[in-house]
Amino acid sequence: MLRLINGYWATGVLGAAASHRVFTHLAQGARDAAQVAGRAGISERGAQTLLDGLVSVGLVRVEAGVYRNTAEAATYLVEDSAVSLSAFAKLKLAHMGALTDLPQVVAAGGPITDAVVEVADNPHWQELVKAIAPQSVPAARLATTVLGIEQAGPITILDVGGGSGIYSAVWLAANAQARAVQLDWQPINAIARRLMDERGLGDRFTCIDGDFHTTDFGSGGYDLAVYSHIAHQEGPQANTEVFTRLRRALKPGGALLVCDYVVDDDRTGPGFPLIFASEMLLKSHQGSTWRAQDYRDWLTKAGFTDITLHSAPPATLVVAR
C-alpha cells in the first residue's frame, strides 16, 4: 500500500536518473556512487540516493559494492539505442504536476484546462513525438512480420498521425521498394522529415500537412495504412469515421494496422491500458482506452471483414482487411 501511495517516488528517481544519464554511465563502466557522481557532475550523496532508489524499484542491482543495470534498464534506459525510453522518463517527470488536477477532472468528466492532445501547435507535441518513438519500435518490428512487409514488394503506406515517422522508418528499412506518406500537423511532419533524412530514408518518405479529421485520404491509393496510438485520443464516432475513410483509401486487398493500448472486453486487464485511461481523461475530451470489441465493432461498421488481434505488450496490434 505504501508503495502505491508513494508511487511518484519511482517516477521522480527514474526521471532524475535519466536526466543525469546514470544508466548510460553504469553501462560505460561506472561502478559506484563516487564514479557515477564524477561522470555525471553531481554530488556523491545525490548519486548514492539515486542508486539506492533504482535498486529499490528493480532497475539497478548491487553485488559486492558494484552497481550494474538490470537487463531491463540496459535495454530501455541506456541512451542512444532504438528502444531507449530515457527521454520519455525525463518528460514524464515534468508531467507529474498535472496529476494534482485528477480529482477535479474526474468530477468534470474531462480536462479542466485546454485538452493537450487536441492542440496542433502545442509544444507538448514537439517534446512528445521524439520521446515516445522508441515505444513503437517493438510493435512496428512485430507488425513487419505479421504483415509480411519484407516480402511485399513495391507497396505504398499511409501513416495517419504518424508523429516521428517511426513505423515508416522501420518498414522502409525492411522493404527497399516501399514508399510511405505521413499525414500529420506541419510542425510534427517537420520533425519526421528530419529524422527520416537522418536515417537515409527521406527519398521514399513524403508528408501531407493537415488534420486527419478533415484532410482527404483519397481513394484506393494505398496498400497499407497505419493508425498508431491515435484511437485512444478519439471517441467512438470519430474512430469509426476515420476507419471508414481509411478503408476507402486502401487498394482492394489492402490492410489497416491499428496499434494501441487495448483493454479486455470485461475490463479486467491488462493493467497498463486500464490505468492509461486516466491520461486520456486528463488530456482529451473523448479519449479513453477502448475494448477489443469496440475495435471490432468500429472496423466492421467501416467495411472491414477480416479483423485479427496480435499481442504487442503493452499494446495490441489490430489488423483489418
Side-chain angles (χ1 to χ4, degrees), residues 148-200:
I149 288 174
E150 286 184 329
Q151 300 81 30
I155 58 172
T156 303
I157 300 158
L158 173 63
D159 191 347
V160 174
S164 67
I166 192 64
Y167 275 84
S168 294
V170 171
W171 293 348
L172 295 185
N175 180 341
Q177 295 180 282
R179 305 187 70 86
V181 177
Q182 173 165 305
L183 194 163
D184 213 323
W185 288 317
Q186 186 279 328
I188 308 306
N189 281 338
I191 295 171
R193 278 192 290 266
R194 183 174 69 251
L195 294 175
M196 295 295 280
D197 285 341
E198 290 173 359
R199 295 182 173 99

Side-chain angles (χ1 to χ4, degrees), residues 39-51:
R39 296 186 186 206
I42 59 177
S43 69
E44 186 172 341
R45 181 188 182 199
Q48 186 64 63
T49 299
L50 286 180
L51 289 170

Side-chain angles (χ1 to χ4, degrees), residues 6-311:
N6 294 292
Y8 64 96
W9 288 350
T11 302
V13 167
L14 177 50
S19 297
H20 292 297
R21 307 181 66 237
V22 170
F23 303 103
T24 301
H25 294 315
L26 291 176
Q28 293 175 348
R31 296 165 55 87
D32 56 25
Q35 292 182 7
V36 168
R39 296 186 186 206
I42 59 177
S43 69
E44 186 172 341
R45 181 188 182 199
Q48 186 64 63
T49 299
L50 286 180
L51 289 170
D52 288 345
L54 295 171
V55 171
S56 172
V57 298
L59 291 173
V60 167
R61 56 187 173 84
V62 56
E63 297 173 355
V66 176
Y67 290 86
R68 303 187 191 282
N69 293 318
T70 62
E72 293 82 0
T75 300
Y76 295 109
L77 292 168
V78 175
E79 296 172 317
D80 298 327
S81 83
V83 295
S84 176
L85 298 175
S86 180
F88 188 55
K90 291 185 281 188
L91 185 65
K92 295 308 290 185
L93 179 60
H95 290 177
M96 285 178 65
L99 282 174
T100 60
D101 290 336
L102 191 56
Q104 294 92 333
V105 169
V106 168
I112 57 176
T113 57
D114 289 338
V116 171
V117 302
E118 297 165 12
V119 180
D121 59 354
N122 195 321
H124 164 88
W125 291 113
Q126 303 291 325
E127 300 173 339
L128 188 64
V129 293
K130 292 181 287 186
I132 65 174
Q135 296 182 47
S136 292
V137 171
R141 288 173 175 168
L142 175 61
T144 303
T145 301
V146 170
L147 296 167
I149 288 174
E150 286 184 329
Q151 300 81 30
I155 58 172
T156 303
I157 300 158
L158 173 63
D159 191 347
V160 174
S164 67
I166 192 64
Y167 275 84
S168 294
V170 171
W171 293 348
L172 295 185
N175 180 341
Q177 295 180 282
R179 305 187 70 86
V181 177
Q182 173 165 305
L183 194 163
D184 213 323
W185 288 317
Q186 186 279 328
I188 308 306
N189 281 338
I191 295 171
R193 278 192 290 266
R194 183 174 69 251
L195 294 175
M196 295 295 280
D197 285 341
E198 290 173 359
R199 295 182 173 99
L201 300 169
D203 61 326
R204 292 186 285 131
F205 178 78
T206 58
C207 293
I208 300 172
D209 296 336
D211 187 319
F212 67 81
H213 297 97
T214 55
T215 303
D216 186 13
F217 299 160
S219 178
Y222 300 96
D223 301 281
L224 176 61
V226 57
Y227 188 71
S228 177
H229 291 293
I230 305 295
H232 64 242
Q233 299 173 187
E234 306 292 322
Q237 182 177 347
N239 281 324
T240 302
E241 192 273 336
V242 171
F243 291 159
T244 300
R245 291 194 289 125
L246 285 170
R247 178 70 185 87
R248 192 160 52 242
L250 290 170
K251 297 176 183 178
L256 167 63
L257 176 81
V258 181
C259 180
D260 220 309
Y261 304 129
V262 179
V263 300
D264 296 338
D265 290 338
D266 61 3
R267 306 198 75 85
T268 58
F272 185 85
L274 285 173
I275 202 167
F276 186 77
S278 299
E279 178 102 346
M280 289 301 96
L281 188 68
L282 277 168
K283 296 181 177 179
S284 73
H285 289 296
Q286 299 292 329
S288 185
T289 43
W290 304 107
R291 301 172 305 159
Q293 189 58 51
D294 294 323
Y295 286 95
R296 294 189 185 97
D297 291 344
W298 301 336
L299 289 164
T300 299
K301 289 178 182 177
F304 293 95
T305 57
D306 180 5
I307 302 164
T308 58
L309 277 70
H310 308 264
S311 179

